[in-house]
Structure formats: C-alpha cells, structure tokens
C-alpha cells in the first residue's frame, strides 16, 4: 500500500471507530499511530511523532483562551446574567405572535457574547424560557426548538471555543476569528427571528401560544441593573480585542475577573459554586485540549502521508471548481454532524481541506466561519445533537421527548443551512469587520 | 483477594485523580490572576511581567494534564456513544464487551504516551533544559514532562481499572456543571 | 540512476522567504548538479506550514526523523542551541546579512560548539540562514534621537528585549511579529523593534511613521540541518552536493534579504514614513549603556566546555576583516 492509500484508509477507520463509540481522541491517536508505523515500517518513528505531538500541542499561548472563556461563561451563567437579559427582552415581546421565541433568540444573541459554549446557552434558556412559553400555550416542540436553535449562537458569536480551535488548526489569530464571527452570528439571530415571524404567520399551529394579558413594565432602573453587567462584560471583552488593547488571552482573563466581580457584587455565588466553576473549567479544558492534541497527531499523520500535497496536485490537475469543493465540504460536515461533536468535526475535516483552500487563495478566516457554522448544524441533528441532549436532560419533563426536541430544532437547522450558503456565497459578510 | 486488590488500587487511583484535579483547578485560578496582573502592570505601571507569556503556556499544559485523569474518572472524555446506547438495550452483554475493548485500547494508548515521555523527563531533569529567553525569563522543562508522564500513567491505570470493573454507564450527556444543585 | 527520497520540513508556510528559496533555489540546484553525473536523483517531499511540525518543532522533528532535512529556527532554542545566539548578543556591529551569514557559518565550521549542539540533537549542520538585515526602532511619536525613547514602552521579541536595558526607563513589551501593528496602533506600546522588510509587510508605516535608524544589526535565525541517521546512509556524492549547495543557499538567501531590505526602506518612505538618522555617538552611548550580553553568552558556553570567548573574538574578527566594526567592543568586559 502507498502512504496515500494508508492515509485514506485511516480516515475511514477513524470515522468508523468513532461511530462505534471509541473515545474520539483515542480513535484519532491510535489509528494515526498505527498508520505511521505501517507507512514508514518504523515503530520508533511512530512513537516519536506521538511524543512530539503530545509535547508541543498543548503548549500554545492562545490555548489559554479556552479555560479563561469557559470560566467566564460558567460564572456568568451561575450569576444569572442570562435570565436577566431574557426578562428584559420578553417584557415588550409578549404581545407578538411567537414573541417569546423572538425574545429568546435575542437574549441568546446577547448572552452568546459573554459565553463561549452552546451547552451553557442551552441549559440556561431551557430553564428560563421553555416553562414560560409552555405556560402561554406555545407548542412544546416550538418552545424547545427555539432554545436549541438559538443556543448555537453561543459558539458563533464570540467568544467561542470553536473559533479558538479553528484558529489553532488553521494558524489564524484568535482575535481575528472572534471579530469575523460577529456579523455572521448576528445574521443568524436575525434569520431566526425572521423564521419565527414566518412560522407564526404561515404555520401558526406549529408555533402556538397566546398573547399575554399581563404586561408588567420594568422601571428604567431595573432594566439597567439587568442589562448593564452583561453589556459591561461585552464591552471589556470584545472592545478589548477590537481596539487591540488586549490579546484574546488577556481579554479572557479580564472578562473572567470582571464576571467574578459581578457575581460577588450581586451575591449570586457561593464559595462552592465558585469552586465548581473552576473544576468544570478544568474538565472542559482538558477534554478539548486532549482532543486537539490527538487531532494534531492525525493531521501530522496526513502530512507524513503526503496527503495535503497530493490533494493540492489533484486540484491543480483537475481544475475542480470552487462550487464542487464547497458542496463536498458542506455535505461532509452535515454527515459527520449527525454523530460527532463540533470540535471533532472541525479537527477532522479542516486538515483535509485546508491545503485546497490555501491553493485557491481563499481567505482562511472566511473558511473558519463557514466551518464553524457548518459543523454546528450537527448540534441540532439526530441521533447525536449536543444542544438537544442538554435541553432534554435539563428539562426533566417526560411529556417532551427527545424526538420532540429534534423535531422542534429542525426548522432552525434548516435556517442555519441557508445562512451557511449565504456566508459561503458572500465572504465579505465574514471579513467586513476586519477591514 | 483479586477483588480487594482491584478495589484498593481503584481507591488510590481515584484519590490521586481527584487530588490532581484540585491542583489543576488552582492553576486555572492562578492563570486568571497572572494574566490580569500583567495587564494592569503593563497598562498602568509600564512594568509588564516579563514571564507572562511562558507562565501562560506552562499553565495550559498543567491544567490539561493535571485534569485529564479526573476527566477519565468521570467518563467525560469526548466520545459519541449513541450507537452503544442503542445496542445496550438489545445486547447488554455484547455492549459491555465492546466497552471493555474500547477501554483496553485507551489504556494501551495512554501507556504508550507514558512510555515515551518518562525518559524525556529523566533526560531533561539532568540536562536542565529550559524554555524562554535567558536574561528575560526562563523556566525549566522537566516539571512539564513530569506532569505529562505521570498523568498519562494514571490515565492508563484508570482505563485498565475500567476494563476490569466494566463500570461506565451510558448517559445522554455528561455535563455536571449544569446539574441542578443537590439539596 | 539511484533515487534517494528526502522529506524536507519547516513549520513556516511555503510563502516565507527562506522556504520559498529552498524550493526555488536549493532543490533545483541540487537536482541540477546531481544530474551532471547522473548517478543519483532526489525524490523530494516538501512538508511546510505545520503539516508535520510547527515552527518550534523542526529541531525535534529532524532529531526524531520526522523529516530528513529541516529548516530550524534557532532563536526558539536558546537552551539546546546556545551558540546560535552569536549574532543576537552582538548588536551594533553589522547590518550586512551576507557578512553575518558568512561569519556565523565559518564559526560553525571552525569551532566544534555549533556542530556539537546539533549532534546532540541527532542532526548534522548544513548551513546558516540570515533573513533579516537589521532591527530598527519604529516609533508612533516623533523622535529625533535615541534619548527620545526614554520612558517608552517598546515591543520586541526574544533577545532584542535586552537591548532596551540600555535606554533609561524603557520597558520592553513582548509580542509576536503579527501583533506589532495592533500594539502600536492602540498605544499599548510607543515603539517596536523590527526589521524594515517586516515593517513593510505589516504596513507599520501607517501606525509608526518614524523609523529610528539605530542599525542594531543582522541576526542569524535559520539553520539547515540533516537527520544524522539519514546523513550516514547518504552516498558521498550526494553529501558533497548538499554541502556545496548549502553554501550557495546561504549567500543567495542573505543577498535576497539585503535586496528586500533596501526595497522595504524605500517603500516605508514612499508610504509616508520618515527615517530618522542616529549619530554614531548616540549608537555608542546606547551600546555602552547595555549590559554586555555577549560576555554572558560566552560565559554560558565556556561553562559548558566550549570555547565561548574564542568564538566571540573570532566572529567579531571576521566581521571586522569584512569591514564591519562595532560601536562597542563586546570582547571587553
Ligand atoms: Na459566544
Ligand atoms: Na447531530
């Protein structure tokens, strides 16, 4: 077998093992290890590559953003910032058809700017938004669907663990990736609101709900106390990065400290809650970075096999069109998205396609945005859709089945796909804020 | 006899993982403080902390490898076990065997990492290799290698114990940070 | 004809100057010379830009055989390759990349230290690459002399942060090349040390329109090395060809760096930048106010059993013979 054949077979083997339930980093690492061993007929060389990858993959300055933004996100969730934003948003939207749905999307978009994970968004809004919607006779499927759909905003609007992971694989600046995510994230939020309006108009049965009778108005003071902490955090983090005053790592650390101060001032955190947030930060960081380490073994294996070079030559010889490559790319992400989590999808497909994108002189920042959006569609699709799982397990209500959550999320997954196509077609949407 | 030995070993391994986890947790806190110290010292006092960059890199590695054994302990290593969960309802015996095999492969993989990193730790402990720039800030490599090697060893042990006890259970999702507080 | 395969690795992308010249100059030149006798032909596999190793991982990659030939960026490895710091610890001597490349290369051949260091990493030294002609100071504020830098926050990377110890109240702020534009623009720093070609690439003139021509000097940062096990198996003819081409690559690359530097300085002025000349007295004053980092360097090597003091003297002697005399004699305490 030629190295190229071994390389290709190993990609298939990895996907198979992952679907069979092997821990993803172990599947990536083990198959890559064996492939190198076979390819070079050299066991020591395979061991050596493992050593280099384990040694230097985690040793990356920008990776500090992962624990820092994770910590910040956990603190703001515990401090109740998501609930506050939601309350302010629903105040005026209650009388509109699907209004609480729109408010949930809006609150998620704002909350997304202070948390880096979709899990946090999904769990917070399941608790605050779903019960209220059901109380107002909304269709339960619609209620959970809105929360699932808008939870993905957490990982598109910066800060975002996925944008950080991509920036590592493609060697782009984390700060640039963050800034590039702003417009696509807002676009997706607007598209969701539009879709809710559309569904309320044309499929009112799917939405359900009745206008609220009570219409309590908050005082300006109350609104301020509920929104200012979040807006302050957004200003510190995104403002710090945008002006260049802070690197992404520093913005994460400053944001974490500010979030802590907010939680302390509002007396919304116990010492135990604080320690738990730290513990969880560690768990999440270790899981993601070990996955990244294993994925770097995999991408180096592809490099040793010469696969990137080969793909580039193929492209040069074949004149494959931009259109075809993008179709294959999106289909591949949707396919992997059925069963894999977002980070794994990014780490598996990006090394395969990066050489092609580079050869075509396309922007790697734009490519990152479409990768993250494309891979996140998988959060909403069965059989494994993390956002839907989080909602189901947070909900703890037997009347709403996992199937209901997936069915409710489906229209939102479709909206994501349309937004993805627009983002592919118009790269300037992702790049505008950088220039 | 064998059972008590396994139970004892498992207790020790779990205790070690939890201790490392607590230590790694403190590193997270230290990271927040160090970076903020640097930002303030640089911005307000024009006196940046010269080792900030190295300390940040160092702490990321520490966080990852100090926490990894505990991640293995609570079975939160990234995986997609939808297929296993479905299979579990029809063929629980077969599913348990597959889980054993998966844990065995994982134990071997982590053992390989431990096997190649230990000698590197020994060597760097003697050569006193450092990273950073002399006169600006330097830190020795060996503590990093020690943590990686020890962590991989412990992870391998935890996986091996999972093979014997076959105790990991199917879950929809493992995200205890979002559990309701138990009262 | 016997075919010999060679995996070339660097963590930097193919568009980087030294990588591009490896592809466009080194490889065709080796192929051409081997074709003259027709005994051997090379089968090159070039893997750049992190596909096998990251920039910091090239040294280990060649050591472990992940690549047969590698372009090692030596400034990352002050610990394993201390002697490679030779040009960085002797600022204010020469801004001629060609002269520095040649002098460092000769030191590598005449003294065992550099080859020993690479031998410990299981590799064979082939050639030195110099890709930057000189660090200059680019300032956001109008400056007329070195003393105007007092109290400034000045960005740098690696050893050049220590040059700032010669300026009263100046604080060195660490940053990567790609961060400098932002750091200058936002006022995070008042000035940055970088070389004219990088300044042009990153449009530094937009944010730092004053270039203080401090002429801190050219620095060696790249070394071509070959995995020692791979080298042992190579036929003598191939070894000799690689060594001969390595010398030409050294001069070719340094020449390219100089051409680009000249063009970059012109581009800086054309883009609205002002070049501020620095008097010889000012340069001498700066150099003399610095700690003698060359002596620190020599002592580190002496302590490791190498001829640090002799290497320093020989290196400066070679540059002097080529017409480059420093404003401070680094061999004196
Ligand atoms: Na976010
Ligand atoms: Na899915």
């Amino acid at each position: 077998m030629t190295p190229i054949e071994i390389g290709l077979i190993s990609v298939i083997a990895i996907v198979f093992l992952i679907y069979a339930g092997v821990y993803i980093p172990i599947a990536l690492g083990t198959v890559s290890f064996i492939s190198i061993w076979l390819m070079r007929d050299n066991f020591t060389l395979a061991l050596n590559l493992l050593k280099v990858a384990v040694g230097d993959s985690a040793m990356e300055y920008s990776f500090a953003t992962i624990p820092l933004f994770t910590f910040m996100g956990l603190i703001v969730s515990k401090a109740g910032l998501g609930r506050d934003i939601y309350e302010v948003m629903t105040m005026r939207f209650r009388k509109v058809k699907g209004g609480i749905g729109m408010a949930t999307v809006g609150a998620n978009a704002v909350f997304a700017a202070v948390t880096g994970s979709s899990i946090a968004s999904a769990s917070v809004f399941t608790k605050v938004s779903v019960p209220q919607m059901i109380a107002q006779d909304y269709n339960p499927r619609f209620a959970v669907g809105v929360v699932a759909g808008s939870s993905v905003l957490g990982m598109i609007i910066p800060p975002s663990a996925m944008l950080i992971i991509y920036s590592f694989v493609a060697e782009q600046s984390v700060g640039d990736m963050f800034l590039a995510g702003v417009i696509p994230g807002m676009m997706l939020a607007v598209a969701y609101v539009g879709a809710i309006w559309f569904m309320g108009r044309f499929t009112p049965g799917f939405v359900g709900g009745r206008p609220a009778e009570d219409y309590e108005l908050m005082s300006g003071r109350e609104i301020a106390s509920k929104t200012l902490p979040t807006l302050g955090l957004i200003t510190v983090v995104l403002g710090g990065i945008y002006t260049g005053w802070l690197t992404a790592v520093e913005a994460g650390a400053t944001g974490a400290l500010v979030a802590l101060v907010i939680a302390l001032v509002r007396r919304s955190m116990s010492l135990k809650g604080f320690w738990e947030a730290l513990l969880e930060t560690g768990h999440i960081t270790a899981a993601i970075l070990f996955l990244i380490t294993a994925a770097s073994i995999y991408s180096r294996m592809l490099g040793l096999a010469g696969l990137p070079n080969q793909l580039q030559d193929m492209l040069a010889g074949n004149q494959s069109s931009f259109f075809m490559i993008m179709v294959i790319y999106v289909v591949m992400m949707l396919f992997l998205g059925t069963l894999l989590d977002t980070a794994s999808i990014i780490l598996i497909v990006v090394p395969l396609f990066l050489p092609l994108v580079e050869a075509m002189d396309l922007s790697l920042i734009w490519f990152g945005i479409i990768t993250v959006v494309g891979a996140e569609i998988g959060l909403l699709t069965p059989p494994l859709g993390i956002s839907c799982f989080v909602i189901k397990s947070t909900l703890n209500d037997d009347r709403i089945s996992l199937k209901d959550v997936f069915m409710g999320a489906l229209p939102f997954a479709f909206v994501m796909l349309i937004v993805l196509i627009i983002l592919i077609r118009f790269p300037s949407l992702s790049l505008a804020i950088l220039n | 006899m064998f059972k008590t030995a396994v139970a004892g070993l498992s207790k020790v391994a779990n205790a070690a993982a939890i201790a490392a986890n607590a230590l790694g947790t403190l590193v997270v806190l230290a990271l927040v403080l160090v970076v903020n110290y640097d930002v303030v010292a640089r911005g307000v006092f024009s006196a940046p902390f010269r080792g900030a960059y190295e300390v940040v890199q160092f702490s990321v590695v520490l966080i990852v490898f100090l926490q990894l054994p505990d991640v293995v302990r609570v079975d939160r290593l990234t995986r997609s076990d939808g297929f296993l969960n479905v299979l579990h309802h029809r063929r629980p015996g077969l599913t348990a065997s597959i889980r054993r095999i998966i844990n065995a492969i994982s134990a071997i993989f982590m053992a390989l990492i431990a096997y190649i990193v230990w000698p590197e730790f020994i060597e760097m402990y003697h050569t006193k290799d450092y990273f950073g720039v002399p006169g600006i800030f330097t830190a020795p490599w060996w503590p990093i290698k020690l943590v990686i090697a020890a962590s991989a060893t412990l992870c391998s042990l935890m996986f091996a114990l999972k093979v014997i006890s076959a105790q990991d259970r199917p879950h929809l999702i493992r995200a205890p940070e979002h559990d309701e507080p138990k009262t | 004809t016997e075919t010999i395969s060679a995996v070339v690795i660097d963590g930097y992308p193919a568009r980087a100057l030294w990588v591009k010249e490896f592809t466009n100059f080194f490889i065709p030149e080796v192929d051409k010379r081997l074709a003259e006798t027709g005994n051997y032909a090379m089968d090159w596999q070039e893997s750049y830009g992190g596909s096998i190793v990251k920039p910091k991982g090239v040294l280990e990659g060649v050591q472990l055989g992940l690549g047969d030939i590698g372009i090692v960026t030596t400034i990352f490895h002050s610990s394993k390759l201390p002697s490679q710091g030779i040009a960085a610890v002797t600022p204010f001597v020469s801004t001629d990349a060609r002269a520095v490349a040649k002098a460092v290369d000769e030191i590598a051949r005449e003294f065992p230290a550099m080859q020993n260091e690479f031998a410990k990493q299981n590799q064979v030294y082939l050639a030195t690459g110099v890709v930057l002609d000189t660090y200059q100071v680019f300032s956001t504020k109008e400056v007329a002399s070195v003393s105007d830098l007092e109290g400034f926050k000045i960005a740098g990377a690696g050893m050049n942060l220590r040059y700032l110890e010669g300026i009263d109240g100046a604080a060195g702020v660490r940053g990567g090349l790609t961060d400098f534009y932002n750091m200058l623009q936002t006022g995070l720093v008042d000035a940055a040390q970088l070389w004219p070609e990088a300044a042009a690439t990153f449009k530094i003139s937009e944010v730092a329109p004053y270039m203080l021509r401090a002429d801190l000097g050219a620095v060696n940062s790249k070394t071509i090395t070959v995995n020692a096990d791979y080298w042992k198996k190579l036929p003598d003819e191939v070894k000799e060809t690689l060594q001969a081409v390595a010398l030409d690559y050294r001069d070719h690359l340094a020449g390219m760096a100089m051409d680009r530097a000249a063009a970059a300085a012109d581009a800086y002025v054309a883009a609205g930048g002002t070049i501020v000349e620095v008097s010889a007295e000012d340069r001498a004053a700066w150099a003399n106010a610095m700690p003698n980092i060359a002596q620190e360097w020599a002592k580190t090597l002496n302590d490791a059993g190498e001829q640090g003091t002799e290497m320093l003297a020989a290196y400066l002697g070679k540059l002097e013979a080529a017409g480059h005399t420093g404003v401070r004699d680094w061999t004196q305490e």
Side-chain angles (χ1 to χ4, degrees):
Chain A
M1 275 194 293
T2 66
I4 303 288
E5 283 164 356
I6 295 179
L8 284 175
I9 291 172
S10 64
V11 174
I12 297 166
I14 286 168
V15 172
F16 172 79
L17 287 179
I18 291 174
Y19 274 52
V22 177
Y23 302 100
I24 297 171
I26 303 287
L28 283 167
T30 313
V31 173
S32 304
F33 177 82
I34 294 172
S35 305
I36 296 160
W37 180 11
L38 293 178
M39 214 150 50
R40 292 292 180 86
D41 191 20
N42 186 339
F43 184 73
T44 319
L45 185 76
L47 271 180
N48 285 340
L49 193 121
L50 193 60
K51 175 158 87 181
V52 173
V54 170
D56 71 23
S57 291
M59 192 86 182
E60 191 78 32
Y61 176 77
S62 64
F63 279 175
T65 46
I66 293 179
L68 292 170
F69 282 119
T70 304
F71 184 59
M72 180 179 109
L74 291 174
I75 297 285
V76 295
S77 301
K78 284 179 196 279
L81 262 51
R83 180 184 297 268
D84 285 358
I85 294 289
Y86 171 79
E87 281 168 4
V88 174
M89 287 270 183
T90 46
M91 186 177 71
R92 293 202 173 271
F93 273 105
R94 287 191 185 185
K95 293 207 160 190
V96 187
K97 178 80 177 165
I100 303 189
M102 294 177 189
T104 304
V105 172
N108 248 306
V110 177
F111 187 61
V114 290
T115 177
S117 100
S118 298
I119 296 180
S121 303
S123 70
V124 166
F125 287 93
T126 305
K127 276 179 261 179
V128 299
S129 167
V130 174
Q132 200 177 10
M133 285 168 90
I134 291 179
Q136 282 190 38
D137 288 339
Y138 276 85
N139 180 346
R141 279 193 180 179
F142 173 77
V144 289
V146 167
V147 174
S150 50
S151 74
V152 302
L153 294 171
M155 296 212 280
I156 295 170
I157 293 175
S160 150
M162 296 309 131
L163 291 173
I164 296 169
I165 289 176
Y166 174 83
S167 71
F168 170 69
V169 185
E171 294 177 336
Q172 298 300 303
S173 130
V174 174
D176 285 355
M177 286 310 304
F178 276 8
L179 296 178
V182 174
I183 293 177
M186 294 198 299
M187 244 178 77
L188 186 61
V190 170
Y192 280 161
V193 171
I196 293 171
W197 177 84
F198 185 87
M199 289 186 275
R201 185 85 199 274
F202 297 100
T203 58
F206 176 73
V207 177
R210 60 182 156 75
E213 292 103 31
D214 57 330
Y215 187 91
E216 48 201 278
L217 268 179
M218 282 180 205
S219 67
R221 197 190 160 88
E222 199 175 350
I223 293 177
S225 87
K226 285 184 187 295
T227 51
L228 285 181
T230 306
L231 294 180
L233 253 186
I234 295 175
T235 310
V236 168
V237 172
L238 286 186
I241 294 174
Y242 185 74
T243 58
W245 261 99
L246 302 173
T247 65
V249 170
E250 290 161 355
T254 313
L257 199 65
V258 173
L260 262 179
V261 171
I262 293 172
L264 281 178
V265 168
R266 295 165 49 126
R267 298 169 201 273
S268 54
M269 174 157 317
S270 61
L271 198 60
K272 184 161 169 289
F274 172 63
W275 181 253
E276 274 172 3
L278 280 174
L279 270 184
E280 281 314 309
T281 302
H283 275 171
I284 292 170
T285 306
I288 292 184
L289 287 184
F290 189 58
L291 182 64
I292 290 179
T293 301
S296 97
I297 304 172
Y298 158 77
S299 79
R300 288 162 206 249
M301 179 275 289
L302 293 181
L304 271 179
L307 214 62
N309 298 353
Q310 205 81 7
L311 280 174
Q312 260 169 351
D313 294 349
M314 241 168 64
L315 182 76
N318 252 339
Q319 291 302 321
S320 338
S321 68
F322 168 77
F323 178 75
M324 271 317 290
I325 290 177
M326 282 301 129
V327 170
I328 296 172
Y329 191 60
V330 171
V331 168
M332 198 163 161
M333 283 195 295
L334 291 179
F335 169 71
L336 292 173
T338 56
L339 263 184
L340 296 194
D341 68 293
T342 314
S344 306
I345 299 171
I346 295 173
L347 292 169
I348 289 172
V349 297
V350 171
L352 280 174
F353 281 80
L354 212 50
L356 299 181
V357 175
E358 274 184 320
M360 288 192 292
D361 264 334
L362 299 168
S363 155
L364 289 182
I365 303 232
W366 159 83
F367 186 64
I369 296 298
I370 64 163
T371 301
V372 170
V373 174
E376 293 201 345
I377 296 178
L379 288 168
L380 306 180
T381 58
L384 183 130
I386 306 271
S387 279
C388 297
F389 284 6
V390 172
I391 291 169
K392 170 65 184 145
S393 54
T394 311
L395 208 52
N396 210 1
D397 179 346
D398 291 335
R399 288 169 301 170
I400 299 173
S401 70
L402 189 58
K403 188 178 162 202
D404 290 325
V405 184
F406 278 123
M407 289 308 289
L410 212 57
F412 295 93
F414 184 69
V415 173
M416 276 186 92
L417 186 61
I418 291 173
V419 169
L420 174 62
I421 292 168
I422 296 173
L423 289 173
I424 292 176
R425 178 67 187 77
F426 302 103
S428 58
L429 289 170
S430 311
L431 303 174
I433 222 169
L434 288 170
N435 302 326
Chain B
M1 182 64 195
F2 179 69
K3 257 190 176 165
T4 15
V6 169
L9 192 57
S10 158
K11 230 182 216 168
V12 172
N14 283 342
I18 291 168
N21 180 35
L23 208 60
T25 299
L26 293 177
V27 179
V28 175
L29 192 60
L31 177 64
V32 175
L33 297 178
V34 166
V35 177
N36 275 295
Y37 170 80
D38 179 46
V39 169
V40 174
R42 184 189 63 205
V44 183
F45 301 103
S46 259
F49 170 44
R50 282 172 149 201
Y53 196 86
E54 281 82 8
V55 170
V56 167
Q57 286 182 309
F58 209 101
S59 35
V60 174
V61 179
L62 288 183
I63 293 169
V64 173
F65 287 96
L66 285 172
Q67 299 273 359
L68 201 55
D70 203 54
V71 170
V72 173
R73 183 180 70 85
V74 299
D75 203 18
R76 282 193 69 191
L77 209 54
T78 324
R79 81 191 304 184
S80 164
D81 49 5
F83 166 74
L84 285 178
N85 288 343
V86 171
L87 193 66
H88 180 76
H89 294 294
R90 297 192 196 155
R91 306 277 305 273
L94 176 66
T95 313
S97 305
I98 295 178
R99 286 182 181 276
R100 280 202 154 109
I101 294 171
I102 290 172
N103 284 324
I105 294 172
S106 310
I108 294 170
F109 183 72
M110 296 314 295
L112 277 175
I113 293 179
Y115 168 77
I116 46 161
V117 181
W118 275 117
E120 214 183 13
F121 155 63
I122 306 281
E123 191 200 316
M124 292 199 167
Y125 183 76
H126 290 296
T127 59
K128 298 278 175 282
D129 252 2
Y130 59 83
F131 63 100
V133 180
I136 303 286
F137 182 89
T138 58
W141 268 112
W142 68 261
I144 289 199
K145 301 295 171 187
L146 173 63
V147 168
I148 297 179
S151 167
T153 308
L154 189 53
C155 287
S156 178
L157 181 65
M158 313 276 303
F159 278 123
L161 289 166
K162 276 175 194 270
V163 175
I164 298 166
S165 66
Q167 258 181 353
D168 61 327
R169 297 250 174 279
H171 297 286
L172 213 46
I173 179 144
R174 296 169 194 86
E177 75 269 25
H178 299 295
D179 287 352
E180 287 298 324
K182 287 168 205 89
T183 42
Chain C
T1 307
E2 189 189 327
T3 303
I4 297 167
S5 76
V7 178
V8 187
I9 56 170
D10 193 354
Y12 286 99
R15 60 178 178 275
L17 175 65
W18 59 96
V19 181
K20 202 158 75 188
E21 292 314 311
F22 198 92
T23 305
N24 295 341
F25 179 84
F26 193 102
I27 289 180
E29 199 61 29
V30 170
D31 287 345
K32 194 177 86 192
R33 294 190 200 179
L34 287 177
E36 280 164 17
T37 62
N39 296 329
Y40 304 99
M42 302 296 286
D43 174 19
W44 303 94
Q45 181 194 323
E46 298 173 84
S47 292
Y48 306 128
S51 67
I52 294 183
V53 286
K54 304 212 162 279
K56 286 180 190 166
V58 179
L59 182 70
E60 204 177 7
V62 175
Q63 177 199 2
L64 300 174
L66 303 179
D68 303 316
I69 300 177
I71 309 175
V72 177
T73 299
T74 51
I75 44 179
F76 293 134
H77 306 285
S78 353
S79 168
K80 288 190 171 111
L81 308 172
S83 67
Q84 288 290 325
I86 193 162
V89 297
T90 50
F92 299 106
V93 178
S94 169
T95 58
D96 187 335
R98 288 160 301 207
V100 169
K102 186 159 179 288
V104 175
D105 190 53
E106 287 173 7
I107 292 296
R109 291 167 204 283
E110 291 162 20
F111 291 86
M114 291 188 181
Q115 300 199 36
N116 284 347
E117 286 166 8
F118 281 111
K120 262 191 212 154
Q121 306 303 318
N122 191 37
Q123 43 209 291
V124 176
Y125 169 93
L126 216 52
T128 285
V130 175
V131 293
L132 66 101
D133 63 323
T134 177
Y135 285 111
Q136 306 287 17
V137 181
F138 292 82
S139 168
T140 55
K141 301 173 192 159
E142 188 166 358
V143 283
S145 67
V146 172
S147 57
D148 290 341
L149 297 177
E150 287 172 11
F152 271 27
K153 278 183 278 188
I154 304 175
M159 195 50 88
N160 69 22
L161 286 172
R162 299 213 57 196
Y163 302 169
L164 303 175
E165 290 171 29
I167 298 175
D168 264 349
V173 177
R174 174 172 181 156
L177 205 50
T178 49
D179 312 324
F180 285 172
Y181 183 96
N182 259 336
M183 294 168 84
L184 289 162
Q185 187 186 34
T186 58
L188 190 68
V189 293
D190 310 298
Q193 301 178 81
L194 65 170
W195 61 100
E197 192 232 332
T201 306
F202 293 100
K203 301 191 172 64
I204 294 296
S205 58
E206 294 174 4
V207 289
Y210 301 95
M211 181 188 106
L212 205 56
R213 200 195 287 279
D215 284 348
L216 291 155
V219 173
N220 61 306
S221 59
K222 308 288 166 190
T223 306
I224 311 278
T225 69
V226 186
N227 174 278
D229 308 311
Y230 176 82
W231 182 255
K232 246 181 278 167
K233 290 187 213 139
L234 285 180
D236 287 340
E237 187 187 328
V238 176
K239 281 184 191 169
E240 283 154 19
T241 308
L242 287 174
Q243 278 167 329
V245 174
L247 273 184
D248 292 348
Y249 172 81
R250 174 196 86 191
D251 295 336
H252 173 78
L253 185 63
M256 295 276 298
M258 291 305 285
D259 294 346
R260 286 189 163 206
D266 294 343
Y268 180 77
V269 175
T274 307
I275 296 182
V276 181
E277 299 297 334
V278 177
S279 68
E281 296 79 48
D282 270 10
R283 290 178 73 233
W286 182 351
N288 286 317
M290 271 178 62
N292 191 334
I293 52 178
Q295 287 299 324
E296 292 176 21
W297 173 87
K299 184 172 179 310
T300 307
L301 288 176
N302 291 343
D303 292 349
E306 299 288 357
Q307 302 156 280
T309 307
E310 291 84 350
M311 283 165 77
L312 179 62
Y315 172 71
L316 293 171
K318 284 176 191 298
L319 286 177
E320 195 165 353
H324 305 283
T325 313
V327 294
R328 173 174 173 183
D329 183 358
W330 296 107
T331 60
Q332 301 304 308
E333 287 291 341

